[in-house]
Short mmCIF file of all heavy atoms in Angstrom, two decimals:
data_model
loop_
_atom_site.label_atom_id
_atom_site.label_comp_id
_atom_site.label_asym_id
_atom_site.label_seq_id
_atom_site.Cartn_x
_atom_site.Cartn_y
_atom_site.Cartn_z
N VAL A 244 -0.43 -100.86 132.67
CA VAL A 244 -1.25 -102.07 132.67
C VAL A 244 -2.69 -101.68 132.37
O VAL A 244 -3.08 -100.52 132.49
CB VAL A 244 -1.19 -102.80 134.04
CG1 VAL A 244 0.23 -103.27 134.34
CG2 VAL A 244 -1.70 -101.91 135.17
N THR A 245 -3.48 -102.67 131.98
CA THR A 245 -4.89 -102.41 131.70
C THR A 245 -5.65 -102.22 133.01
O THR A 245 -5.16 -102.57 134.09
CB THR A 245 -5.51 -103.57 130.91
OG1 THR A 245 -5.48 -104.75 131.73
CG2 THR A 245 -4.75 -103.82 129.62
N ARG A 246 -6.85 -101.71 132.90
CA ARG A 246 -7.69 -101.51 134.07
C ARG A 246 -7.96 -102.85 134.79
O ARG A 246 -7.96 -102.91 136.02
CB ARG A 246 -9.01 -100.85 133.64
CG ARG A 246 -9.94 -100.52 134.79
CD ARG A 246 -11.24 -99.91 134.29
NE ARG A 246 -12.13 -99.59 135.38
CZ ARG A 246 -12.13 -98.45 136.06
NH1 ARG A 246 -11.25 -97.52 135.75
NH2 ARG A 246 -12.98 -98.24 137.04
N ASP A 247 -8.18 -103.91 134.01
CA ASP A 247 -8.47 -105.21 134.61
C ASP A 247 -7.27 -105.73 135.41
O ASP A 247 -7.44 -106.30 136.50
CB ASP A 247 -8.84 -106.23 133.52
CG ASP A 247 -10.20 -105.95 132.90
OD1 ASP A 247 -10.99 -105.22 133.53
OD2 ASP A 247 -10.46 -106.42 131.77
N VAL A 248 -6.07 -105.54 134.87
CA VAL A 248 -4.86 -105.99 135.58
C VAL A 248 -4.68 -105.20 136.88
O VAL A 248 -4.40 -105.78 137.95
CB VAL A 248 -3.62 -105.86 134.68
CG1 VAL A 248 -2.35 -106.11 135.47
CG2 VAL A 248 -3.71 -106.82 133.51
N LEU A 249 -4.84 -103.88 136.80
CA LEU A 249 -4.70 -103.07 138.01
C LEU A 249 -5.76 -103.43 139.04
O LEU A 249 -5.48 -103.50 140.25
CB LEU A 249 -4.79 -101.58 137.66
CG LEU A 249 -4.62 -100.61 138.84
CD1 LEU A 249 -3.28 -100.83 139.53
CD2 LEU A 249 -4.74 -99.16 138.38
N SER A 250 -6.98 -103.68 138.58
CA SER A 250 -8.05 -104.07 139.50
C SER A 250 -7.70 -105.37 140.22
O SER A 250 -7.90 -105.49 141.44
CB SER A 250 -9.36 -104.23 138.72
OG SER A 250 -10.41 -104.65 139.58
N PHE A 251 -7.14 -106.33 139.48
CA PHE A 251 -6.73 -107.60 140.08
C PHE A 251 -5.64 -107.38 141.13
O PHE A 251 -5.69 -107.94 142.23
CB PHE A 251 -6.23 -108.55 138.98
CG PHE A 251 -5.60 -109.80 139.51
CD1 PHE A 251 -6.38 -110.87 139.91
CD2 PHE A 251 -4.21 -109.91 139.60
CE1 PHE A 251 -5.79 -112.03 140.42
CE2 PHE A 251 -3.62 -111.06 140.09
CZ PHE A 251 -4.40 -112.12 140.50
N LEU A 252 -4.63 -106.55 140.79
CA LEU A 252 -3.52 -106.31 141.72
C LEU A 252 -3.97 -105.57 142.97
O LEU A 252 -3.52 -105.87 144.08
CB LEU A 252 -2.41 -105.52 141.00
CG LEU A 252 -1.70 -106.25 139.85
CD1 LEU A 252 -0.74 -105.31 139.13
CD2 LEU A 252 -0.97 -107.48 140.37
N VAL A 253 -4.88 -104.60 142.80
CA VAL A 253 -5.38 -103.85 143.95
C VAL A 253 -6.21 -104.77 144.85
O VAL A 253 -6.11 -104.71 146.09
CB VAL A 253 -6.20 -102.63 143.48
CG1 VAL A 253 -6.94 -101.99 144.66
CG2 VAL A 253 -5.30 -101.60 142.82
N ASP A 254 -7.02 -105.62 144.25
CA ASP A 254 -7.81 -106.57 145.05
C ASP A 254 -6.91 -107.52 145.82
O ASP A 254 -7.22 -107.90 146.96
CB ASP A 254 -8.76 -107.37 144.14
CG ASP A 254 -9.90 -106.52 143.60
OD1 ASP A 254 -10.14 -105.43 144.17
OD2 ASP A 254 -10.53 -106.93 142.60
N LYS A 255 -5.80 -107.90 145.21
CA LYS A 255 -4.92 -108.89 145.83
C LYS A 255 -4.01 -108.28 146.90
O LYS A 255 -3.82 -108.85 147.98
CB LYS A 255 -4.07 -109.57 144.75
CG LYS A 255 -3.21 -110.73 145.27
CD LYS A 255 -2.52 -111.43 144.12
CE LYS A 255 -1.67 -112.59 144.60
NZ LYS A 255 -2.48 -113.66 145.27
N TYR A 256 -3.45 -107.08 146.60
CA TYR A 256 -2.45 -106.52 147.50
C TYR A 256 -2.91 -105.24 148.22
O TYR A 256 -2.27 -104.80 149.17
CB TYR A 256 -1.16 -106.20 146.72
CG TYR A 256 -0.55 -107.42 146.09
CD1 TYR A 256 -0.60 -107.60 144.71
CD2 TYR A 256 0.07 -108.39 146.86
CE1 TYR A 256 -0.04 -108.73 144.11
CE2 TYR A 256 0.64 -109.52 146.27
CZ TYR A 256 0.57 -109.69 144.90
OH TYR A 256 1.11 -110.79 144.32
#
Side-chain angles (χ1 to χ4, degrees):
V244 297
T245 64
R246 183 182 180 87
D247 290 341
V248 171
L249 181 57
S250 177
F251 171 81
L252 294 174
V253 170
D254 289 343
K255 186 174 180 63
Y256 299 108

